[in-house]
Every structure is written in C-alpha cells, then in structure tokens.
Amino acid sequence: MKKLLFISNISNSVGSFAVASIEAAKRCGFKFYYASNWDAATEEQMAADEKKYGVKLFHMDLDRSPYSTKNIKAYKQLVDFIKKENIDYIHCNTPVGGLLGRLAGEKCHVKKVMYQAHGFHFFDGAPKKNWIIYYPIEKWLAKKTDVIVTINNEDFERARTFKLRNSGHVYYVPGVGMDLSQYNIPDTVREIKRNELNLKETDFALISMGDLIDRKNYKIAIEVVAKLNNPNVHYFICGKGPEEVDLKKLAENLGVKEQVHFLGYRNDIKELLKAADTFLFTSKQEGLARSLMEAMASKIPCVVSRIRGNTELICNGVSGFLCINEDEYISSLEKLIESSNLREQFVEKSYENLKNFSIEKVEDCMFDIYSKEFIKNDI
C-alpha cells in the first residue's frame, strides 16, 4: 500500500482542512499520515480522530513562524519519520509546512512532493517586502516541487510561471471543501441565540470571525459601525488575538462600546451565524476565506473586502458587496439594512455559487490529482 504524508502547521483535531484529501487518498488506496504540531490536541482527541478517519497522526514540534529555530527540530523529526515509514508521496500545506515538507522530501528522495498554497504572501497589491522576501523563496522551492495546487485563480496564474521539478504541473482546486449539510441549522436556533446575545427584534446584527490581527483589519469595521450612526446595529467579533485591547479602546473612543461585542473564541459559530443578519469581512489578505464560505453556507448576506479569493466567491451587487473603502462599506450596509429583498437575493445567489466549493467537488478534484500525479505517473 502506497503511503501519503499530509503536512500542515498547527492542529487541534482532524478538521475540514484535511477531510477532502483523506477521502481522496482512500479512494486511491493510499495509507494516510497526517503530520502537524498536535500540542493543542489531547491524546484522547488524537486517538478518536485516528479511528474516525482511518489515519495515522504524527506530531512534530513545528512553529507557525518561519523564523523560529523550533522548525529545525521539526525538520529533523520529519526526515526521520519519512525514512522510518518509507513515505511515497508528500502533500504539504501552509508556508512553514510547505517549506519543511519540500526540504524533507528532497532530502529523503520522496517520489513526488505536492504543495498546496492556501494564499501566496505575494499577490496583486501586496506590500513590496512580501515580494522581496517570499516570491524568490517560492520560486526556489518550486524547483523542489512536483505539483502545486492553488485555491484561487490569481495564485494559479502566478504558479504557472514557476519552474517545477521534472516539468511538474499546477492545478486549481476550489478550496478545501465545504460540507454544506453542517450548516442546516433550525430556524428556532436564531431566536434562542439572539436572546442570548440580548438582541431585540429591531436590531441588525453584523458578525465577523477570525484572529484579532492587523491582517483581518477589524479597525475599519469598527469605524464603519461608528459612522453608520445607527444604535440598532450591533457588531459581534468572534476570535482572540494581540489587537484585542486596542480594538476595544477604539470602540470606546468612537462611542460604540455598547454596539461592538468581543465574544472571544467560540465553539458555536454556526449558531451565531444563524443569529446574524450580515457577515462583515474587512480582511486585507486571504487565499480563499473559509469564514466567508461559512457565512455563505449559513445563508446570510455578505459585505466583504475586494481582495483575491473574495472576488471568486462574491459577485459585486449580485451575490453580495465587494468594498474598497469605508464609504463603500457604509453604503453597502445601509442598503442591506433597508432592504430585506436585497438580502434574500444575495443569499440565494451566493449559496448557489458556494455549491462549486463543496467538499464533494474538492474531493473529486483531489482524487483526480492524486490519480494522475501519484498513480499513473508512478507506473
């Protein structure tokens, strides 16, 4: 039985990030190994996931920062594991996992190495330093890579300009796969959750999810809430991060402390989305945002930044609003607050488009790639 090693960064469970690849590998008859930093997972969780998904989990002391010396140890752990298990193929993900996976793959003479880019750090409009640092590194790593998979079209076109090992191939896959059935939340949940959030029937709830970091650009979202000057608008932020104190101070200074609610890390995102009226997403950079797809799956209208990835999920004025500045966010939200018909139109159109990013579609794509690259070319 051929052995496939799937590599990511930091994991607390086997989640949606890997499921489509696991199922595709099973269809190919591969044994699936999942390497990650599992410090956030309990032994019981790991054992349960191994049994549930039929995989083997391997811990490495990887750090999310590419500059951390811990990654030297993680690299050595990977090399030892690959040699011990006689791994045939590597499917590595994320910047650090992609770096270590490709270096270890070359060191161990793995038959084929695939890298799945979830959003290059160099992109149209990216800071110059991103291009100076990350672009040449990715071009260099491409020479150690047999297959590159991208999840948005901008990255796909750029990856096609790289010279891959053995004249390798570049593919586009629509994300990591959304299980739309998980978002069929009963309508009764909306009233229950809104009561928990102390929302009145006349209140209009905005919601965002993600780490409280500069890239997510919550600052502009809070400023937009203030400039709407509508006491019935409430904005719920799900997540934690280093900017939390400054963002709370900003909300207080702008006089919207009672309208901006920091909910921290939540396990009830699906229910919170059901309670919300609009998803507000002001991020500066994404590959293909899962949080946006979750909102679309939850059938709420979306007002999002006009960036790579978002433009593939939302058609401006048809299935949502794509915004560049504060004025556009404000006018877009005002239109949605005033028109339930527009909200319904956006929900219908965006959900129809989201079906193209379903887990079934992605699993089929990964199966085709695994079959072509790891089976047919290995005969």
Side-chain angles (χ1 to χ4, degrees):
M1 180 181 285
K2 298 294 184 182
K3 298 178 178 180
L4 172 68
L5 176 61
F6 184 93
I7 304 171
S8 66
N9 271 4
I10 297 173
S11 307
N12 56 17
S13 66
V14 175
S16 54
F17 186 78
V19 170
S21 295
I22 291 172
E23 295 305 319
K26 285 181 181 178
R27 287 166 64 181
C28 290
F30 297 158
K31 189 170 183 178
F32 195 95
Y33 296 83
Y34 190 165
S36 185
N37 184 325
W38 295 98
D39 278 343
T42 63
E43 290 185 8
E44 292 77 13
Q45 177 69 56
M46 292 176 69
D49 280 351
E50 286 187 329
K51 182 177 181 181
K52 178 179 179 180
Y53 294 102
V55 302
K56 287 290 184 180
L57 306 184
F58 166 67
H59 171 79
M60 56 180 176
D61 294 300
L62 172 149
D63 192 278
R64 197 185 300 271
S65 169
Y67 309 108
S68 172
T69 55
K70 288 178 65 176
N71 291 321
I72 297 173
K73 181 180 179 181
Y75 167 73
K76 293 177 180 177
Q77 291 170 326
L78 264 182
V79 168
D80 290 343
F81 182 79
I82 291 167
K83 290 179 177 178
K84 177 186 174 184
E85 295 295 339
N86 294 313
I87 296 297
D88 295 288
Y89 315 113
I90 288 176
H91 175 177
C92 51
N93 301 261
T94 72
V96 176
L99 170 66
L100 300 183
R102 286 183 278 184
L103 293 179
E106 181 181 55
K107 171 76 173 177
C108 300
H109 306 291
V110 171
K111 293 177 182 178
K112 282 215 169 183
V113 177
M114 181 173 93
Y115 172 56
Q116 185 164 356
H118 296 265
F120 290 135
H121 284 292
F122 45 91
F123 54 92
D124 293 342
K128 187 177 292 186
K129 68 177 183 179
N130 287 31
W131 284 93
I132 294 172
I133 297 172
Y134 296 108
Y135 182 65
I137 292 175
E138 190 56 50
K139 285 187 70 176
W140 171 67
L141 285 171
K143 297 174 183 178
K144 307 175 187 297
T145 313
D146 300 285
V147 184
I148 292 180
V149 174
T150 66
I151 61 172
N152 63 66
N153 284 295
E154 182 183 318
D155 286 352
F156 174 70
E157 293 300 331
R158 186 147 289 125
R160 291 176 67 187
T161 68
F162 298 154
K163 292 182 179 179
L164 276 64
R165 186 168 71 177
N166 300 320
S167 301
H169 303 107
V170 177
Y171 297 89
Y172 163 79
V173 168
V176 297
M178 287 292 297
D179 183 353
L180 301 182
S181 65
Q182 291 187 9
Y183 295 84
N184 293 328
I185 307 298
D187 291 338
T188 52
V189 171
R190 175 176 169 84
E191 183 177 354
I192 294 170
K193 189 59 65 173
R194 284 178 71 91
N195 286 336
E196 287 181 19
L197 298 171
N198 295 316
L199 287 169
K200 301 189 293 292
E201 189 174 335
T202 53
D203 287 335
F204 194 88
L206 310 175
I207 190 169
S208 296
M209 301 98 71
D211 295 337
L212 274 56
I213 55 177
D214 177 70
R215 181 169 64 84
K216 295 297 183 181
N217 205 17
Y218 287 108
K219 179 177 179 290
I220 191 174
I222 294 172
E223 290 172 345
V224 164
V225 170
K227 290 183 178 180
L228 280 170
N229 195 28
N230 184 338
N232 291 327
V233 171
H234 287 263
Y235 179 37
F236 296 91
I237 301 174
C238 305
K240 298 184 71 65
E243 290 209 329
E244 183 170 348
V245 172
D246 288 342
L247 292 173
K248 286 181 175 179
K249 188 176 296 184
L250 175 65
E252 184 173 3
N253 291 341
L254 294 176
V256 288
K257 179 182 177 182
E258 303 302 319
Q259 291 177 254
V260 179
H261 312 275
F262 294 85
L263 302 184
Y265 178 80
R266 302 290 295 219
N267 290 312
D268 57 345
I269 291 297
K270 297 181 182 69
E271 291 77 13
L272 289 168
L273 284 166
K274 186 73 176 181
D277 298 295
T278 290
F279 179 67
L280 178 60
F281 190 53
T282 52
S283 184
K284 299 175 184 178
Q285 172 196 341
E286 298 291 335
L288 192 73
R290 185 167 184 83
S291 59
L292 171 53
M293 290 191 282
E294 287 185 294
M296 294 165 68
S298 300
K299 299 182 179 179
I300 61 173
C302 302
V303 176
V304 305
S305 50
R306 191 190 294 267
I307 58 172
R308 171 192 63 178
N310 290 359
T311 54
E312 297 183 30
L313 292 165
I314 296 294
C315 178
N316 190 41
V318 176
S319 58
F321 283 121
L322 295 166
C323 304
I324 296 175
N325 54 43
E326 279 189 14
D327 289 341
E328 291 187 4
Y329 284 113
I330 292 167
S331 64
S332 298
L333 288 170
E334 286 176 339
K335 289 173 186 176
L336 286 174
I337 292 169
E338 294 169 4
S339 176
S340 60
N341 288 337
L342 184 59
R343 297 198 296 271
E344 290 172 7
Q345 173 197 314
F346 282 1
V347 164
E348 180 182 349
K349 296 291 185 181
S350 66
Y351 191 79
E352 192 62 32
N353 184 44
L354 187 62
K355 292 177 183 177
N356 296 315
F357 300 82
S358 70
I359 193 164
E360 293 83 7
K361 295 260 187 182
V362 174
E363 181 186 323
D364 286 343
C365 288
M366 293 310 305
F367 173 72
D368 289 343
I369 295 171
Y370 286 170
S371 298
K372 181 183 291 185
E373 298 293 338
F374 296 159
I375 297 179
K376 291 179 182 178
N377 289 336
D378 194 30
I379 296 175

